[in-house]
Amino acid sequence: NAGVTQTPKFRVLKTGQSMTLLCAQDMNHEYMYWYRQDPGMGLRLIHYSVGEGTTAKGEVPDGYNVSRLKKQNFLLGLESAAPSQTSVYFCASRLAHSYEQYFGPGTRLTVT
Amino acid sequence: SQKIEQNSEALNIQEGKTATLTCNYTNYSPAYLQWYRQDPGRGPVFLLLIRENEKEKRKERLKVTFDTTLKQSLFHITASQPADSATYLCALVNAGNMLTFGGGTRLMVKP
């Protein structure tokens, strides 16, 4: 089992550029999440999904979009990157009947 | 507004001692509380979950308490080792079944 994987590991964008972060899990988890982690602010939920084809907004969804076309994949899109989106992004997943979340290794994104 | 507070200052202790980390929360009535460990450059790893009707939970050298009156959880590592050095995150499960994380406390165990 690879667990939760994230692609890419690092990325530098210029303001206004777009990109997609990919999260994949091989544990057949129903729920998937995207968080961002900034110094001193902890992990904040961006968007989440409770199943294939469904997504919902979290605490800080502005500037991001997501899609869950397949159960094992959860994509996070930035349509027009801003310096405020410089952060480390973590994907997580869990089974529907368990609160334990499994996290990926993170993507470090810098927007200049 | 809902708030979770963990000591942002690093906790430095000597190997073999017990480390105690604190998680305080306000404006919450969480059904569950979790603790995660995070190493530099890596994602958090789940350690323990404690329910609101449980006062204490143990796992090997780890112990978590949950006081819903004080709105506080304590996380203990007994016989600490340098390998326990990491950042520890407290997370609350709210009514929407979402996790809200504290900012974490960095623990440094010196040999």
Side-chain angles (χ1 to χ4, degrees):
Chain A
N1 274 355
V4 180
T5 58
Q6 293 183 233
T7 310
K9 288 184 169 47
F10 303 94
R11 186 72 186 269
V12 178
L13 286 179
K14 294 187 177 179
T15 298
Q17 288 185 319
S18 63
M19 79 163 293
T20 300
L21 283 68
L22 171 64
C23 175
Q25 52 93 7
D26 61 0
M27 297 174 283
N28 203 33
H29 286 176
E30 292 87 358
Y31 288 38
M32 295 188 75
Y33 305 86
W34 275 108
Y35 294 91
R36 59 178 289 173
Q37 187 174 39
D38 302 293
M41 300 200 66
L43 286 154
R44 292 182 292 168
L45 182 64
I46 305 172
H47 285 280
Y48 65 99
S49 168
V50 300
E52 182 178 325
T54 69
T55 62
K57 294 180 180 180
E59 179 187 356
V60 288
D62 294 342
Y64 305 95
N65 57 74
V66 288
S67 65
R68 183 112 181 257
L69 299 179
K70 293 182 179 181
K71 186 177 184 179
Q72 63 267 35
N73 295 337
F74 195 27
L75 278 63
L76 178 70
L78 285 74
E79 291 183 348
S80 179
S84 61
Q85 294 178 305
T86 293
S87 188
V88 181
Y89 292 85
F90 288 101
C91 176
S93 69
R94 71 170 174 95
L95 289 167
H97 63 269
S98 169
Y99 288 109
E100 176 182 347
Q101 292 193 13
Y102 292 76
F103 283 81
T107 295
R108 184 173 294 275
L109 175 65
T110 302
V111 183
T112 61
Chain B
S1 62
Q2 298 171 336
K3 197 173 181 181
I4 303 172
E5 289 185 344
Q6 295 185 257
N7 194 341
S8 59
E9 292 184 11
L11 176 63
N12 294 291
I13 64 168
Q14 206 67 34
E15 181 177 7
K17 300 293 186 182
T18 296
T20 298
L21 285 69
T22 304
C23 174
N24 295 301
Y25 60 93
T26 56
N27 298 324
Y28 265 107
S29 294
Y32 305 89
L33 186 147
Q34 300 183 5
W35 284 88
Y36 286 78
R37 169 184 172 140
Q38 186 173 23
D39 291 287
R42 312 193 83 158
V45 175
F46 172 82
L47 294 175
L48 281 167
L49 176 147
I50 186 167
R51 294 174 170 77
E52 61 179 341
N53 60 352
E54 296 177 315
K55 297 296 183 187
E56 183 179 297
K57 197 82 168 277
R58 292 176 184 261
K59 180 181 177 182
E60 298 173 349
R61 294 184 296 111
L62 308 181
K63 185 179 84 171
V64 171
T65 62
F66 191 11
D67 189 325
T68 55
T69 302
L70 291 178
K71 294 187 181 297
Q72 181 181 79
S73 175
L74 299 179
F75 177 80
H76 306 273
I77 305 176
T78 58
S80 59
Q81 305 165 359
D84 295 326
S85 298
T87 296
Y88 291 86
L89 308 174
C90 164
L92 302 182
V93 178
N94 60 31
N97 286 336
M98 294 295 114
L99 275 184
T100 302
F101 285 85
T105 298
R106 187 177 175 200
L107 172 67
M108 299 285 290
V109 181
K110 298 181 179 180

